[in-house]
Amino acid sequence: MRWFLFILFYILVDIYAFQAVKTITKSPLIYGFYVVISLMVLAGLIYELSFFGSSKMMQPPKMYFFGIFLAVFVPKLLLVIFMFGEDILRFFVGLFMKIYGSQGDFYMPSRRKFVSTIALGIAAIPFASLLYGMIQGKYDYRVLKYALEFDDLPDEFDGFTLTQISDVHCGSFDNRRKVEYAVNLINEQQSDIILFTGDLVNNTADELHDWKNLFSTLKAPQGIFSVLGNHDYGDYVKWKSASAKAENFRRLIDSQKEMGWDLLRNENRILERNGQQIAIVGVENWGENGFKQSGDLDKASEGISGNMFKILLSHDPSHWQSKVKTDRRNFQLTLSGHTHGMQFGIEIPGIIKWSPIKYRYKNWAGIYEEFGRYINVNRGFGYLGYPGRIGIWPEITVIQLKKKQNTV
């Protein structure tokens, strides 16, 4: 029933938005083009909802339809807002003329061409942006570098560098050359360690098949460590049996080993330099709002002394906000992903950082600090759902750890 109501809503929006086109042109050719595009998108929408509406599998063809749907529908919504605002004004003008006019008749003024022209011009902005995000933005990789200071960082790790990537979602990729460029860009950072914070695939281990050799070329002197994200468990697939799901999960685990990645499943690894140590701690996915909660900090921290410097890998930043930042064991730095920055937003360093995802996650992109503890939320390497990015670009994070110098 809800899908029928959504389709009805789409049709009403489409018809209403068409009034703006009629105001500025009388061309049958343009009318026909508008109608054909609208009918094609409507047919695709009905097809997707009828045959795939209950499936959570996100494959490139479906994602591209979703992207095209957004590129067509969002501008029409903007047109409706403008047209509706103008219609309200026209109604009150007509009402005023009926009450105070000499004729006493209710007459609504005709639509003004310049309002429709402005509305169409503004609507063209999201249309162009959504297309750009699908064509170029999704592979517009950015290297973001930070230096963080800690009082309790061991001296031997002063200047230690780590590269974080997250949310690869390799089942979405459609351009090997672009992804190869990004993998080379990661290696070019020459960090001491590479840390991956979950969501290697969209749903199934098979998605990794064509990309495994490429991600195997990632190298770092201290190794590559990873954790699982909510998509890595295969929970969003309707499996034929529990054993099929378990086999899929086993193959994903084995693939990471074959790639040379050390997957941490509620466990830790100790790095040592000249007798001094830090811990890399990795938990399984722990999220709120219905996401899997398999992360176990107690188990992951076994064997670690309380005052050891710790870097925690936890896919979902809500874990840090709810549990980690106040944990008595003091996890000095947490690395997360998950949000993708919603793949849409506005970021101008030092001026504005905004995305709709901020209304769901307090920590959604970049560095945050509370109680002297830090979290970095990586904006994601890949994409999911909408096959593009606008304003929130795919990210490779490089963090240098620094020993805070005491000043007198």
Side-chain angles (χ1 to χ4, degrees):
M1 181 63 180
R2 68 181 185 275
W3 297 126
F4 173 78
L5 292 176
F6 181 76
I7 291 170
L8 179 61
F9 176 70
Y10 171 83
I11 293 172
L12 292 175
V13 167
D14 212 354
I15 293 172
Y16 202 10
F18 183 60
Q19 306 309 308
V21 178
K22 289 177 63 178
T23 302
I24 65 171
T25 181
K26 303 299 181 185
S27 171
L29 182 64
I30 294 178
Y31 291 175
F33 181 75
Y34 182 97
V35 171
V36 168
I37 295 298
S38 295
L39 289 176
M40 289 175 63
V41 172
L42 178 60
L45 178 63
I46 294 173
Y47 176 79
E48 290 291 337
L49 295 179
S50 298
F51 292 93
F52 300 104
S54 62
S55 173
K56 294 185 178 180
M57 292 195 67
M58 297 302 294
Q59 299 174 340
K62 185 171 183 176
M63 285 192 288
Y64 272 105
F65 170 77
F66 180 60
I68 292 170
F69 171 77
L70 287 178
V72 172
F73 188 60
V74 171
K76 290 178 180 178
L77 278 178
L78 285 178
L79 283 176
V80 165
I81 292 172
F82 270 89
M83 303 302 289
F84 186 66
E86 185 188 16
D87 283 347
I88 292 175
L89 180 61
R90 291 168 60 219
F91 173 79
F92 281 109
V93 169
L95 187 63
F96 179 86
M97 295 301 294
K98 176 176 176 60
I99 297 173
Y100 299 104
S102 58
Q103 301 295 323
D105 295 328
F106 181 80
Y107 169 73
M108 285 185 67
S110 61
R111 296 186 186 278
R112 289 172 291 180
K113 186 174 181 178
F114 83 93
V115 173
S116 295
T117 303
I118 292 173
L120 285 166
I122 293 175
I125 296 173
F127 176 75
S129 298
L130 286 161
L131 290 181
Y132 174 83
M134 289 191 287
I135 297 169
Q136 183 65 31
K138 63 186 178 184
Y139 294 125
D140 190 4
Y141 296 99
R142 307 293 175 91
V143 178
L144 302 184
K145 296 186 177 184
Y146 305 97
L148 300 179
E149 294 186 338
F150 299 90
D151 289 320
D152 52 353
L153 181 71
D155 293 337
E156 290 295 329
F157 287 88
D158 185 19
F160 185 86
T161 57
L162 62 90
T163 290
Q164 179 198 2
I165 56 174
S166 190
D167 299 88
V168 165
H169 289 289
C170 60
S172 301
F173 292 146
D174 57 7
N175 189 320
R176 189 173 185 87
R177 182 176 61 85
K178 294 287 189 180
V179 181
E180 285 178 350
Y181 164 79
V183 169
N184 290 333
L185 192 59
I186 295 170
N187 282 329
E188 286 174 9
Q189 305 313 307
Q190 298 183 330
S191 291
D192 294 297
I193 194 172
I194 295 174
L195 303 172
F196 172 69
T197 46
D199 278 1
L200 185 56
V201 298
N202 296 350
N203 289 290
T204 68
D206 292 341
E207 297 166 10
L208 186 56
H209 181 267
D210 292 336
W211 305 98
K212 188 162 56 177
N213 289 340
L214 177 58
F215 284 102
S216 297
T217 64
L218 289 175
K219 303 297 179 185
Q222 296 290 323
I224 303 171
F225 299 90
S226 63
V227 292
L228 298 169
N230 56 296
H231 280 268
D232 295 322
Y233 294 90
D235 288 344
Y236 307 133
V237 179
K238 189 174 182 180
W239 297 99
K240 293 181 178 179
S241 64
S243 60
K245 181 180 180 181
E247 173 61 18
N248 173 77
F249 188 60
R250 183 194 63 77
R251 285 190 286 114
L252 181 68
I253 302 304
D254 290 345
S255 292
Q256 294 205 37
K257 292 179 182 178
E258 293 167 9
M259 289 160 51
W261 294 16
D262 189 352
L263 177 62
L264 305 180
R265 300 183 61 191
N266 295 323
E267 52 192 321
N268 64 76
R269 302 288 184 267
I270 305 301
L271 305 183
E272 184 170 332
R273 282 184 171 182
N274 296 323
Q276 295 186 333
Q277 299 177 329
I278 66 172
I280 307 297
V281 183
V283 294
E284 297 208 29
N285 191 78
W286 192 102
E288 296 181 328
N289 302 309
F291 289 107
K292 181 184 288 289
Q293 294 189 348
S294 296
D296 188 334
L297 276 176
D298 294 334
K299 183 178 179 182
S301 302
E302 288 179 358
I304 300 176
S305 61
N307 60 354
M308 183 179 292
F309 188 91
K310 295 175 283 295
I311 300 173
L312 174 67
L313 312 184
S314 182
H315 176 69
D316 192 319
S318 61
H319 190 206
W320 187 79
Q321 190 60 231
S322 297
K323 302 288 184 181
V324 176
K325 72 177 184 180
T326 56
D327 192 283
R328 58 180 175 78
R329 285 164 292 202
N330 185 19
F331 293 90
Q332 290 90 339
L333 174 62
T334 298
L335 303 178
S336 297
H338 182 62
T339 71
H340 298 205
M342 205 173 172
Q343 298 168 209
F344 168 78
I346 302 171
E347 286 196 88
I348 303 175
I351 299 177
I352 185 173
K353 183 174 79 171
W354 177 88
S355 168
I357 199 69
K358 70 173 291 184
Y359 303 113
R360 182 169 184 180
Y361 291 93
K362 184 175 181 179
N363 313 111
W364 59 274
I367 299 286
Y368 301 83
E369 182 269 330
E370 291 186 50
F371 310 114
R373 303 170 186 185
Y374 291 88
I375 182 174
N376 180 64
V377 184
N378 184 285
R379 293 161 180 82
F381 184 91
Y383 53 90
L384 185 70
Y386 166 62
R389 286 178 175 266
I390 306 169
I392 305 292
W393 313 117
E395 175 182 345
I396 298 165
T397 311
V398 178
I399 299 176
Q400 184 181 49
L401 306 182
K402 298 291 292 182
K403 178 78 172 184
K404 184 177 288 187
Q405 302 299 316
N406 294 323
T407 58
V408 179

